[in-house]
Amino acid sequence: MLVGLTACEDGGPTEPDVLTLDDLSGVWEIASFSFTPNQGSLPAYDLMALGGAAALSIQPGGNFTGTVLLPGIITGEGDLSFPIAGVIRLMEDSEHVRIDFIPEQPPFFTAMEPGIEMSGASFTISDPDFPIDLDNDGTFESTTMRALVVRQ
């Protein structure tokens, strides 16, 4: 998490800011949602750069709702738009979150525990070992998943 130290009245540093669910509450847009293969020659891709779109509304308690548009180039059948909902929970270390989608929307929107970094009006979630079938061969490849989420 990107945090800063502040000085106490005695001039010594205090603890870094700790991420809270209140920090995440609000309306957000997913600006990028990329998958980079950890091995092999498969190409990396970004769902948003390929024409996808997603928006989230996160409540102070961690419940969220939103909409997702997956472009036809990903679905192979035309654009697909669907609602998402679930719960975000902070893990004990405050550097990871648990995201539960209700219901799950495989392959992208399934339960995950990515790292999280907050910076100003955006946050990034990332997972260095996110399994996804990049080439539709029925085998999941290990990828690095990264999503940039921007406050609206």
Side-chain angles (χ1 to χ4, degrees), residues 88-122:
I88 297 175
R89 295 177 184 91
L90 290 175
M91 304 298 285
E92 199 169 298
D93 65 6
S94 296
E95 294 180 5
H96 291 83
V97 291
R98 165 89 186 176
I99 303 173
D100 289 305
F101 292 90
I102 305 167
E104 290 194 343
Q105 300 282 342
F108 308 111
F109 302 100
T110 60
M112 61 177 78
E113 293 183 1
I116 185 167
E117 292 185 13
M118 186 108 192
S119 179
S122 66

Side-chain angles (χ1 to χ4, degrees), residues 30-36 43-52 71 73-74 146-148:
I30 299 178
S32 70
F33 195 6
S34 63
F35 301 90
T36 304
Y45 65 91
D46 183 330
L47 293 176
M48 302 306 121
L50 293 171
I73 194 167
I74 296 294
R146 182 179 181 280
L148 174 62

